[in-house]
Amino acid sequence: QVTLKESGPGILQPSQTLSLTCSFSGFSLSTSGICVSWIRQPSGKGLEWLATICWEDSKGYNPSLKNRLTISKDTSNNQAFLKITSVDTADTAIYYCARTGIIRGRGYVMDAWGQGASVTVSS
Amino acid sequence: DIVMTQSPSSLAVSAGETVTINCKSSQSLLYSGNQKNYLAWYQQKPGQSPKLLIYWASTRQSGVPDRFIGSGSGTDFTLTISSVQAEDLAIYYCQQYYDTWTFGGGTKLELK
């Protein structure tokens, strides 16, 4: 059974750095073709892909946020991480991690999602 | 970037009706290397995370009822839900995975 669970600070102040952790089970980020993505959703709004990290440590970032994002992983502990620098109120959202993949060099769907972590940026 | 446009943004239906949700991409999602459309549909119920319904534009994920039907190719795609049930009330998102990942704005299915 594949499960993912996000964790984060809950609340942080503008200009701080947001650090999120995705802890997962049922699959390994050392398996060829496997990746983990981060997606966010502001309250009442749609889904926005943020970043993806894959088994061989390749990374992809949403161009609109690329300068502020850093994705990383700890394969031995089945975790993936996302850092967002210089947050402001527009970064208030639910942050999801999801399993995805790369097949023959192209992306794949997000077939398992975590429950999401709520993050509020407020002074 | 590939832009995904969904219509309508909301839809009011009665149980038992058939509904159609449209999704258009700013460029073709059909990859010539395998003749597959890199288009997926997700369902998000209130308070829940998104759930994968359909991938490769028309392949149902395991466990998804056969009343959910995906169709289309290239830049124009459709999700059809036949005989809508109360449990289908949710927001539906299309997503392209041809070039990184992008979601449509969503279609909210509500009860009439």
Side-chain angles (χ1 to χ4, degrees):
Chain A
Q1 181 188 4
V2 173
T3 65
L4 303 97
K5 186 172 184 179
E6 307 85 350
S7 58
I11 300 175
L12 68 167
Q13 296 184 338
S15 81
Q16 291 186 321
T17 295
L18 170 61
S19 294
L20 296 163
T21 299
C22 174
S23 302
F24 54 86
S25 63
F27 67 96
S28 173
L29 252 180
S30 63
T31 300
S32 179
I34 295 295
C35 308
V36 168
S37 293
W38 286 95
I39 305 98
R40 72 179 179 182
Q41 184 173 39
S43 180
K45 297 189 177 180
L47 300 162
E48 179 181 34
W49 169 71
L50 298 176
T52 297
I53 189 164
C54 296
W55 79 102
E56 84 293 35
D57 210 36
S58 65
K59 298 158 189 168
Y61 295 102
N62 185 318
S64 66
L65 291 157
K66 183 176 181 179
N67 292 340
R68 300 174 50 214
L69 301 177
T70 303
I71 193 169
S72 59
K73 62 182 173 71
D74 179 349
T75 302
S76 58
N77 286 308
N78 288 338
Q79 291 182 316
F81 311 97
L82 182 71
K83 289 187 187 296
I84 305 178
T85 60
S86 304
V87 298
D88 67 13
T89 55
D91 296 307
T92 294
I94 295 177
Y95 286 77
Y96 297 101
C97 61
R99 184 178 73 169
T100 184
I102 298 289
I103 299 177
R104 296 176 184 170
R106 305 198 79 88
Y108 194 56
V109 294
M110 296 163 184
D111 65 351
W113 294 62
Q115 65 191 21
S118 179
V119 173
T120 300
V121 179
S122 174
S123 55
Chain B
D1 294 2
I2 299 177
V3 177
M4 306 299 292
T5 304
Q6 281 184 242
S7 63
S9 57
S10 65
L11 201 49
V13 299
S14 301
E17 287 186 2
T18 294
V19 300
T20 298
I21 299 170
N22 301 299
C23 176
K24 189 173 184 67
S25 58
S26 59
Q27 66 184 72
S28 178
L29 305 182
L30 178 62
Y31 179 50
S32 59
N34 56 12
Q35 289 300 300
K36 288 185 181 294
N37 286 283
Y38 284 63
L39 187 283
W41 291 95
Y42 296 82
Q43 176 193 62
Q44 186 177 31
K45 296 183 178 180
Q48 296 185 17
S49 54
K51 169 190 169 185
L52 175 67
L53 288 179
I54 287 171
Y55 56 100
W56 301 134
S58 61
T59 302
R60 273 186 295 274
Q61 176 73 331
S62 175
V64 173
D66 59 8
R67 64 178 180 274
F68 291 91
I69 301 167
S71 61
S73 184
T75 61
D76 293 282
F77 301 91
T78 298
L79 175 67
T80 300
I81 311 172
S82 59
S83 191
V84 167
Q85 300 184 10
E87 66 197 51
D88 300 333
L89 301 181
I91 300 176
Y92 293 85
Y93 295 94
C94 61
Q95 178 208 46
Q96 67 82 17
Y97 49 105
Y98 185 94
D99 179 11
T100 63
W101 294 266
T102 316
F103 294 90
T107 296
K108 187 174 185 179
L109 198 59
E110 301 173 296
L111 259 182
K112 192 179 291 182

